[in-house]
Amino acid sequence: MERRFKVYVYTEGELPIVHDGPCKNIYTIEGRFIHEMEHGAKRFRTNDPQRAHVYFMPFSVAWMVKYIYTPLSFDITPLKHFVSDYVKVISTKYPFWNRTHGADHFMLACHDWGPHASQGNSLLYNNSIRVLCNANISEGFNPQKDVSLPEISLIGGYLSPKLIHPPLPNASRPYFAFFAGGLHGPIRPYLLQHWKGRDNDMQVYEYLPKNKDYYSYMLESKFCLCPSGYEVASPRIVEAIYSGCVPVILSDNYVLPFSDVLRWEAFSVQVETTKIPRLKEILSVIPEEKYRKLQEGVIVVRRHFMLNQPPKRFDVFHMILHSIWVRRINARPN
């Protein structure tokens, strides 16, 4: 891939919705990828569309929501119209979209409404490679052609200093399991109902007390509980990996990032949401030897989720491109 793969980035569209994206919030991965494709990625980007293997449409769904969505209207029609207009522009100006019905084109979005915005064009929705944080198979995500994007929250744009150098594998982790978060979606209320304040081994909070530190808990916990919110993805999964804490995935219909090449069972635990009442029992019967292997796996895969600037081999930027490359090879336009 590194020797051959070439991406053409369409120049059409105006700032801020196109050629820009958020880099300092929960949608950081969306903006950072767009910025890297626009201003870096010399090895992978080509200015000659005839040489390209794939074509990137660099619009930001997060910025669509910020600039053209009417707050509290719950009307996402303007997002769909923007996508529809963008595809019309590139398909009219260039031959590339029409010759494959969009199968060698891709979009990238971390906002929850990324899948809905892609409905603005039926070929984009059904044929193109959609790189999405909201990788929910019950809402149309197709693992054969779409890419699951890890949600990485970098408030301020930088990784917390506490997470730069996680503890060594043999370091003490006094907390058995940890979660703190608001009551978003159907899974978290169920988790808090059964475990909030009920067991000292299960440090489960809705909101942490002011004298407690979120990342310190992660760094000192064996298992980090990662329930979905309103949508399937959660930044806690990547935060757990950064912390050297074994992620416990509590989600329905979620296609985990980079599962083409990463064996998630080697560094995480997936528990059916219906079994949340038995969560402590399920985690407690994991033998210490297996837990150590899971934790070692977390340390091994950490580099695949790191956002480096500039990117480094095997980091999250390269993993995203590899996932796109694999789907381009297997593309079958409808």
Side-chain angles (χ1 to χ4, degrees), residues 96-333:
F96 312 112
W97 176 274
N98 297 315
R99 72 184 183 187
T100 65
H101 302 294
D104 54 1
H105 286 58
F106 75 96
M107 61 165 284
L108 180 143
C110 197
H111 195 280
D112 290 351
W113 288 347
H116 303 292
S118 71
Q119 293 174 343
N121 182 278
S122 61
L123 292 177
L124 170 58
Y125 187 87
N126 292 306
N127 279 3
S128 299
I129 301 167
R130 300 179 305 154
V131 186
L132 303 170
C133 285
N134 190 6
N136 189 338
I137 58 175
S138 71
E139 296 180 0
F141 184 87
N142 180 352
Q144 279 67 52
K145 75 169 189 68
D146 297 327
V147 173
S148 179
L149 183 67
E151 190 168 304
I152 301 176
S153 179
L154 296 183
I155 304 303
Y158 300 97
L159 184 64
S160 168
K162 294 182 178 181
L163 302 181
I164 293 175
H165 301 292
L168 296 173
N170 59 355
S172 172
R173 289 184 176 262
Y175 302 117
F176 181 69
F178 167 68
F179 169 78
L183 297 177
H184 302 156
I187 298 175
R188 296 185 190 181
Y190 191 48
L191 174 65
L192 268 68
Q193 173 192 343
H194 285 279
W195 294 109
K196 178 183 175 182
R198 292 177 176 269
D199 191 315
N200 288 334
D201 288 337
M202 307 290 285
Q203 294 288 311
V204 175
Y205 299 86
E206 181 175 357
Y207 296 107
L208 275 179
K210 291 184 178 180
N211 63 334
K212 303 290 186 179
D213 178 74
Y214 181 79
Y215 289 135
S216 294
Y217 261 108
M218 282 196 149
L219 291 163
E220 296 179 358
S221 297
K222 294 180 66 175
F223 296 101
C224 289
L225 310 182
C226 304
S228 294
Y230 287 123
E231 302 297 347
V232 291
S234 169
R236 284 171 180 79
I237 296 175
V238 175
E239 290 170 339
I241 291 171
Y242 287 167
S243 305
C245 180
V246 175
V248 179
I249 315 296
L250 302 168
S251 184
D252 295 322
N253 304 309
Y254 182 30
V255 178
L256 291 162
F258 315 138
S259 49
D260 299 317
V261 293
L262 297 184
R263 293 176 51 248
W264 278 83
E265 66 272 18
F267 59 93
S268 70
V269 178
Q270 296 186 53
V271 178
E272 295 177 18
T273 57
T274 56
K275 296 181 180 178
I276 283 176
R278 297 179 49 225
L279 193 53
K280 182 180 178 181
E281 174 190 348
I282 292 169
L283 297 178
S284 296
V285 297
I286 296 175
E288 183 66 18
E289 181 180 357
K290 181 177 179 180
Y291 169 77
R292 291 299 176 192
K293 289 183 178 179
L294 289 171
Q295 190 184 41
E296 289 169 5
V298 170
I299 295 170
V300 168
V301 301
R302 187 178 193 267
R303 65 172 177 165
H304 299 312
F305 293 89
M306 294 300 298
L307 262 174
N308 299 304
Q309 200 168 17
K312 299 178 181 179
R313 293 187 73 195
F314 306 113
D315 69 1
V316 70
F317 178 75
H318 287 80
M319 294 292 287
I320 295 167
L321 285 180
H322 179 266
S323 296
I324 296 168
W325 165 249
V326 169
R327 281 152 184 79
R328 173 63 185 94
I329 293 172
N330 296 325
R332 297 289 186 274

Side-chain angles (χ1 to χ4, degrees), residues 38-81:
E38 293 277 355
H39 306 293
K42 294 180 180 179
R43 170 177 291 184
F44 298 105
R45 184 174 176 178
T46 178
N47 293 321
D48 180 0
Q50 300 290 347
R51 296 184 59 221
H53 298 97
V54 294
Y55 301 83
F56 178 41
M57 298 171 285
F59 50 71
S60 167
V61 174
W63 273 183
M64 289 183 203
V65 175
K66 180 176 180 179
Y67 292 107
I68 64 175
Y69 166 72
T70 302
L72 303 179
S73 69
F74 300 102
D75 179 10
I76 58 176
T77 303
L79 282 66
K80 295 180 181 180
H81 284 168

